[in-house]
């Protein structure tokens, strides 16, 4: 039986403040994230494309992304991720899945045979002490140290 409505396992959000600026088109953000995965290089090595290829080859569909690399590629995209992770992370994972499709089956259009790709974000800047977390950090991406 197919899940319907709220049971579908999706995240729903809605803007409730009248003064919020208009959000950039999701397709454009997703395309920018796809371009980052496909084109980010460090010393002529395609870091994330090659990492995804290696992980898919061993059956581990995970992409570990450095926030500093994303900021070096596109600062505004990095800030969108930090300020709106609930909206940007699903687009990042869809862009990663499209990149995986390009690796696994480059001549196909659908995502049926492509595994879901989990994107993890790592950063060692602006570590926040758990005791300092307050309301200003709600719905933001934060880095906390822990065991």
């Amino acid at each position: 039986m197919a899940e319907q409505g709220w049971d579908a396992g999706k995240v729903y959000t809605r803007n409730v403040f009248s003064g919020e600026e208009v959000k950039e088109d999701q397709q454009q953000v997703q395309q920018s994230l796809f371009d980052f995965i496909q084109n980010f290089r460090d010393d002529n090595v395609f870091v994330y494309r090659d990492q995804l290829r290696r992980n898919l080859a061993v059956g581990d569909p995970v992409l570990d992304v450095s926030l500093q690399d994303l900021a070096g590629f596109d600062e505004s995209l990095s800030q969108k991720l930090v300020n709106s992770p609930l909206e940007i992370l699903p687009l990042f994972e869809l862009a990663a899945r499209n990149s995986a499709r390009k690796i696994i089956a480059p001549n196909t259009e659908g995502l049926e045979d492509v595994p879901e790709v989990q994107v993890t974000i790592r950063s060692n800047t602006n570590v926040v002490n758990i005791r300092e977390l307050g309301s200003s950090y709600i719905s933001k991406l934060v880095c906390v140290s822990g065991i």
Side-chain angles (χ1 to χ4, degrees), residues 75-86:
E75 180 67 32
S76 67
L77 199 55
S78 171
Q79 284 303 312
K80 286 177 189 170
L81 178 61
V82 169
N83 293 327
S84 304
L86 207 64

Side-chain angles (χ1 to χ4, degrees), residues 25-43:
D25 184 39
Q26 290 185 343
Q27 284 292 86
Q28 186 176 1
V29 171
Q30 182 183 334
Q31 183 61 45
S32 297
L33 292 166
F34 177 82
D35 292 341
F36 167 73
I37 294 167
Q38 291 293 311
N39 300 322
F40 182 81
R41 290 188 294 190
D42 186 20
D43 293 331

